[in-house]
Amino acid sequence: MKILKNLVLVDESHKLNLKKVDIVIDDGKIVDIVEEYNGDCDNITHYNGEYVSPGWIDLHVHVFENETDISTEADRVGVESGVTVICDAGSSGESNIEEFYELAKTKKTIIKSWINIASTGLRDRHELKDPSNVNIEKTLEKMEEFSDFVVGLKVRASSSVMGEDTLTPFEKAKIIREKSGKPIMVHIGNYPPTYEEVLGHLRKDDIITHCFHGKPGNILTEENKIKPYMLSKRKEGIKYDVGHGQDSFSYSVANFAKKDSFYPDSLSSDLHKYNLDGPVYSLANVVNKFLELGFDLNEVINWVTINPAKMIKLEGLGTLENGNDANLTIFKIDDEEKDLIDSQKEIIHVHSVVKMVGVYIKGESYKVKYEN
């Protein structure tokens, strides 16, 4: 048994949310969370009032290293940056998902995958221009074979990926969704297809990533209000994920969306080799930007814990209930001013900075190398 003492809990589902707590862990599981533990234990770690939340979950990264030119090393954006679960967003397809699965097992970070509808994944970045690069039956077979690894289907919807035929990939994706029962995550960028066309193919629990991009055809009207179609599809159960990325997050768009009461369902980084050194850096820095927008700590932590866990049906993750695996992220927030940047090169002057301290996965402690 081990005890983590003097932490401040951030888990809106827990009765001790935002209170100082001690966490009791045994055999990799959370045994109890109490305001003060007075029992005997010879394995106690003392903290100094840092925050503890359920382990952070990043729904959108690229970590199929050596197979795709954009991928980075998984633990670099995972446990070494304070994130316990990462979901690779379509780097592999049915032809190489097994290779990615074997790679994932060698990492400390918990890794899941959105399987690309294109058989070759992101081996090149024009994966849907050739219709023969989609094999419905083989994709379904691999989704079944690796059902605990694959969380859903990834489709990249932009003209540079699909070419002129923006309909056929969605028709095939809908067949795979119906037969697998797993959601579609859609990358949306330069149109065609338009937001309206893409959303017309989606249903409850499907996910739009890059929801606050600043490219033409984004979610805003000319009056900087949310397009009504976005709101109606949200009521139908479509989810909206940030997916910051190199070219896919506008702080101004997010700010206008907030003013119109349109909030994300999840924050994700879209971290890969070409944005790791800016403008993204880490999931923590995506969190920083949303705290600066004026969202409260509970809201923002929900978007990297319980919400993504529900969106991809990760049982026992996203909350710190007794009996769940002890997957924790420990962090602090310093009163520190810092300039960040979005994908449009807009400078964001933040007044507080999240700094990652450490993580636990199934009760095992890992040090953070990159604090923000």
Side-chain angles (χ1 to χ4, degrees):
M1 187 168 72
K2 64 180 67 173
I3 312 297
L4 314 182
K5 292 191 70 71
N6 196 31
L7 292 159
V8 176
L9 181 65
V10 188
D11 182 351
E12 202 169 33
S13 69
H14 200 282
K15 64 182 179 181
L16 296 179
N17 183 44
L18 299 183
K19 294 183 181 297
K20 282 193 175 182
V21 298
D22 297 341
I23 300 178
V24 184
I25 298 171
D26 192 29
D27 196 25
K29 302 284 187 181
I30 296 170
V31 174
D32 208 356
I33 299 177
V34 295
E35 291 190 77
E36 187 172 7
Y37 181 79
N38 294 312
D40 293 330
C41 182
D42 59 4
N43 187 353
I44 299 176
T45 302
H46 293 271
Y47 288 94
N48 297 303
E50 292 92 338
Y51 291 108
V52 60
S53 73
W56 288 16
I57 301 168
D58 194 336
L59 275 185
H60 187 155
V61 299
H62 292 282
V63 293
F64 192 7
E65 56 186 310
N66 301 323
E67 177 68 14
T68 67
D69 74 305
I70 67 171
S71 289
T72 190
E73 200 274 322
D75 287 336
R76 168 65 180 84
V77 300
V79 294
E80 293 176 4
S81 295
V83 179
T84 59
V85 181
I86 57 176
C87 302
D88 183 279
S91 299
S92 61
E94 55 85 9
S95 71
N96 50 14
I97 187 75
E98 184 169 0
E99 181 183 348
F100 181 43
Y101 174 72
E102 294 299 327
L103 173 67
K105 290 194 297 185
T106 69
K107 305 299 180 180
K108 300 179 181 70
T109 309
I110 299 168
I111 301 174
K112 303 294 182 179
S113 176
W114 297 93
I115 191 170
N116 201 313
I117 189 173
S119 295
T120 52
L122 293 180
R123 192 173 290 158
D124 68 63
R125 293 192 226 168
H126 312 288
E127 66 269 19
L128 292 174
K129 285 190 174 180
D130 180 359
S132 69
N133 198 27
V134 177
N135 188 310
I136 293 173
E137 293 307 318
K138 286 186 177 179
T139 299
L140 284 165
E141 287 173 11
K142 294 300 181 181
M143 292 177 80
E144 175 65 25
E145 183 178 356
F146 300 102
S147 58
D148 289 339
F149 181 57
V150 175
V151 298
L153 185 70
K154 177 72 182 292
V155 178
R156 296 208 304 145
S158 62
S159 55
S160 60
V161 176
M162 291 181 162
E164 295 181 2
D165 184 359
T166 60
L167 177 62
T168 301
F170 279 108
E171 294 302 316
K172 293 182 177 182
K174 287 187 281 188
I175 294 171
I176 295 170
R177 178 186 60 199
E178 294 302 319
K179 292 188 175 183
S180 70
K182 293 190 174 183
I184 303 171
M185 173 186 270
V186 180
H187 152 116
I188 188 161
N190 293 316
Y191 66 88
T194 65
Y195 251 113
E196 289 79 2
E197 288 170 331
V198 170
L199 286 167
H201 295 296
L202 304 186
R203 69 172 192 189
K204 181 182 178 182
D205 295 332
D206 289 336
I207 300 167
I208 289 285
T209 190
H210 310 316
C211 66
F212 295 139
H213 77 69
K215 301 170 186 177
N218 60 44
I219 63 173
L220 299 177
T221 66
E222 291 182 0
E223 294 76 30
N224 290 320
K225 298 291 186 180
I226 298 296
K227 292 174 179 175
Y229 200 60
M230 310 297 161
L231 299 173
S232 66
K233 296 303 286 189
R234 164 159 276 173
K235 290 178 181 177
E236 293 178 18
I238 303 300
K239 307 298 184 185
Y240 293 89
D241 171 67
V242 168
H244 188 305
Q246 190 170 6
D247 304 305
S248 301
F249 175 70
S250 165
Y251 187 79
S252 292
V253 170
N255 193 28
F256 283 122
K258 182 178 185 291
K259 290 177 180 178
D260 209 18
S261 299
F262 186 88
Y263 307 155
D265 293 291
S266 57
L267 305 184
S268 68
S269 66
D270 187 18
L271 274 164
H272 55 68
K273 181 168 66 176
Y274 299 116
N275 62 39
L276 193 58
D277 295 321
V280 186
Y281 298 104
S282 66
L283 184 58
N285 271 325
V286 180
V287 167
N288 284 333
K289 293 169 187 178
F290 279 81
L291 289 173
E292 186 64 28
L293 279 166
F295 292 105
D296 70 37
L297 185 59
N298 274 322
E299 287 177 302
V300 174
I301 296 304
N302 283 346
W303 296 333
V304 293
T305 57
I306 190 168
N307 278 21
K310 287 180 177 178
M311 288 159 68
I312 56 174
K313 297 179 174 58
L314 293 179
E315 296 287 334
L317 294 173
T319 64
L320 296 182
E321 297 177 10
N322 291 356
N324 282 356
D325 285 342
N327 294 333
L328 318 170
T329 290
I330 298 172
F331 63 98
K332 56 186 178 177
I333 301 178
D334 290 346
D335 291 328
E336 176 183 321
E337 298 195 16
K338 183 178 182 178
D339 284 339
L340 302 178
I341 189 170
D342 72 358
S343 300
Q344 306 297 117
K345 297 183 170 57
E346 178 181 350
I347 301 297
I348 302 128
H349 187 73
V350 302
H351 295 79
S352 63
V353 177
V354 171
K355 293 188 176 178
M356 312 309 281
V357 174
V359 298
Y360 287 81
I361 295 180
K362 295 186 177 179
E364 185 76 22
S365 175
Y366 297 94
K367 290 184 178 179
V368 163
K369 294 183 180 179
Y370 306 94
E371 64 180 9
N372 59 45

